[in-house]
């Protein structure tokens, strides 16, 4: 058993960029995949209710459909669907396939109360039969022309049905399963239960991908060790440290280990993000999104924490961007007109 664990850890594994609703959009995918490290990405979910959605909805969530479903750096982008009605999910799966989707992922992990209240996301984990029916409908609709995967949590209120839900996804035809190592009710509160992913992996024949609380290289090693998974998916950790996937990849390939991600790199990615978003969103909305990203960075980077403290009341986009690049002492004196 020990030898098998060592061999698993030595395997390079794959790294996916997780979907995060309202956070990781096409612009963010472009920025985070510019640096080598990620093997694939997944879009924010397309909400499926009671109708076949028009093409524009899919293209809005996944502009990469018009570019062979890859990011500008060539990283594959899979489209995620969220819904509960098998028939409607199947119709929209066919629509996505016709539009050029190269992979479909089904969301059974979203913990948002609004989503769960409307019978979506993690709410289906209460009944494994519904998970299987949804996966089977989508897999059947695309006739295995493209891969169908699923993402789950360790259950809704408890973990007792975690394995049953995982088996249901596999029985429905999922070709891989991403497991976020918490229940829905646990939200994002630490700790992540990576050892539970291992329990699931040992009972499935399809690849299982570990997700949840991978913020550092040490977290990555521990998640793989406890879960036995070769592949992982990064979400908030990739936003907090834009070089995390690159750092993991360097460790896997026994290259020179990267030092801490410089503030210049963090500031540059925030500025490039703002440049892309200011063309389509009001400046104050862009500032709010920048603060959201900077807030994730600050917990594990001293300079990011200083900048966040200095700019947390700033509402002017140009002032905010200037505060990202000026000497930190000046940044503390950056304009702070009112609460954001």
């Amino acid at each position: 058993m020990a030898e098998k664990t060592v061999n698993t850890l030595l395997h390079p594994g794959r790294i996916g960029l997780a979907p995060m609703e309202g956070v990781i959009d096409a612009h963010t995918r472009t920025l985070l995949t510019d640096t080598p490290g990620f093997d694939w990405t997944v879009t924010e979910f397309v909400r499926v209710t009671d109708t076949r959605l028009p093409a524009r909805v899919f293209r809005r969530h996944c502009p990469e459909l018009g570019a062979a479903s890859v990011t500008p750096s060539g990283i594959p982008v899979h489209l995620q669907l969220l819904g509960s009605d098998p028939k409607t999910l199947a119709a929209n799966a066919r629509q996505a396939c016709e539009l050029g989707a190269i992979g479909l992922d089904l969301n059974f992990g979203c913990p948002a109360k609004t989503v769960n209240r409307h019978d979506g996301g993690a709410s289906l984990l209460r009944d494994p039969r519904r998970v299987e029916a949804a996966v089977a409908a989508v897999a059947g609709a695309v006739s295995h022309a493209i891969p169908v995967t699923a993402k789950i949590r360790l259950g809704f209120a408890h973990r007792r049905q975690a394995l049953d839900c995982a088996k249901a996804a596999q029985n429905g035809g999922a070709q891989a399963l991403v497991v976020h190592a918490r229940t829905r009710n646990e939200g994002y509160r630490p700790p992540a239960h990576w050892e539970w992913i291992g329990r699931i992996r040992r009972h499935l024949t399809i690849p299982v991908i570990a997700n949840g609380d991978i913020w550092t290289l040490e977290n990555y090693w521990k998640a793989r060790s406890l879960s036995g998974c070769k592949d992982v998916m990064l979400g908030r950790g990739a936003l907090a440290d834009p070089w995390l996937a690159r750092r993991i990849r360097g460790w896997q390939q026994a290259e020179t280990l990267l030092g801490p991600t410089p503030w210049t790199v963090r500031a540059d990615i925030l500025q490039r993000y703002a440049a892309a978003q200011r063309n389509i969103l009001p400046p104050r909305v862009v500032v709010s999104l920048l603060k959201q990203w900077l807030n994730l960075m600050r917990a594990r980077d001293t300079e990011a924490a200083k900048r966040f403290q200095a700019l947390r009341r700033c509402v002017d986009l140009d002032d905010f961007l200037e505060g990202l690049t000026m000497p930190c002492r000046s940044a503390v004196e950056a304009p702070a007109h009112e609460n954001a």
Side-chain angles (χ1 to χ4, degrees):
M1 180 63 71
E3 182 179 351
K4 183 177 180 180
T5 301
V6 170
N7 289 338
T8 298
L9 291 174
L10 290 176
H11 189 284
R14 301 172 70 239
I15 306 171
L17 177 60
M20 293 179 64
E21 198 226 346
V23 180
I24 299 184
D25 58 8
H27 296 306
T28 316
R29 290 194 292 273
T30 294
L31 292 170
L32 292 176
T33 58
D34 271 353
T35 298
F38 287 106
D39 295 287
W40 85 101
T41 75
V42 180
T43 69
E44 302 168 271
F45 64 75
V46 176
R47 182 72 164 100
V48 174
T49 53
D50 57 358
T51 186
R52 176 175 163 132
L53 297 166
R56 67 176 181 276
V57 174
F58 292 91
R59 294 187 177 119
R60 184 173 68 245
H61 284 78
C62 185
E64 297 94 341
L65 286 170
S69 290
V70 297
T71 67
S73 57
I75 305 302
V77 181
H78 294 186
L79 195 146
Q80 187 177 78
L81 302 178
L82 180 148
S84 56
D85 177 62
K87 184 177 178 180
T88 312
L89 281 169
N92 282 279
R94 286 190 289 269
Q95 171 82 308
C97 197
E98 291 166 6
L99 291 171
I102 60 173
L104 291 176
D105 186 63
L106 291 173
N107 183 325
F108 302 112
C110 180
K113 291 182 179 179
T114 301
V115 170
N116 295 165
R117 194 162 53 241
H118 290 87
D119 199 28
S123 66
L124 275 74
L125 299 178
R126 295 183 177 111
D127 186 349
R129 294 170 298 180
R130 301 189 69 203
V131 172
E132 181 172 348
V135 175
V138 170
V142 300
S143 301
H144 304 289
I146 58 176
V148 174
T149 61
K151 182 174 184 180
I152 68 171
R153 283 176 169 254
L154 296 177
F156 190 85
H158 50 74
R159 303 174 204 143
R160 289 193 293 273
Q161 289 185 302
L163 181 57
D164 289 338
C165 288
K167 287 181 176 178
Q170 176 175 273
N171 294 341
Q175 295 182 31
L177 181 70
V178 178
V179 182
H180 183 104
R182 298 181 179 89
T183 64
R184 179 268 179 191
N185 283 0
E186 289 173 325
Y188 295 96
R189 297 190 303 273
H193 308 289
W194 296 317
E195 69 282 359
W196 270 81
I197 301 179
R199 297 182 186 185
I200 289 171
R201 180 191 57 78
R202 288 190 291 272
H203 287 85
L204 299 190
T205 58
I206 60 175
V208 175
I209 301 159
N211 172 238
D213 268 9
I214 301 175
W215 301 91
T216 64
L217 183 57
E218 291 75 19
N219 293 156
Y220 168 78
W221 183 90
K222 189 173 181 180
R224 283 194 57 174
S225 178
L226 292 176
S227 70
C229 295
K230 296 175 181 177
D231 303 333
V232 302
M233 180 163 265
L234 309 178
R236 293 176 300 156
L239 292 167
D241 181 0
W243 274 7
L244 179 57
R246 178 182 174 186
R247 180 171 287 107
I248 291 170
R249 189 66 73 209
W251 173 79
Q252 290 178 343
Q253 298 171 354
E255 296 175 354
T256 303
L257 294 181
L258 288 173
T261 304
W263 170 250
T264 53
V265 169
R266 298 173 185 272
D268 177 68
I269 202 168
L270 292 171
Q271 289 177 312
R272 290 164 60 201
Y273 178 74
Q277 295 287 26
R278 74 186 307 167
N279 295 324
I280 55 175
L281 295 173
R284 287 198 177 206
V285 174
V286 179
V287 171
S288 179
L289 291 171
L290 289 169
K291 288 179 182 178
Q292 181 176 248
W293 197 338
L294 187 58
N295 186 42
L296 278 170
M297 289 182 178
R298 71 179 177 128
R300 289 166 175 79
D301 183 77
T302 302
E303 186 68 20
K306 293 178 181 177
R307 302 285 172 164
F308 182 85
Q309 181 63 27
L311 297 169
R312 62 190 180 91
R313 296 177 182 272
C314 181
V315 296
D316 181 84
L317 179 56
D318 290 327
D319 288 343
F320 192 95
L321 294 175
E322 184 180 359
L324 293 176
T325 57
M326 64 175 60
C328 197
R329 183 175 179 181
S330 298
V332 175
E333 299 163 1
H337 306 299
E338 57 184 273
N339 290 328

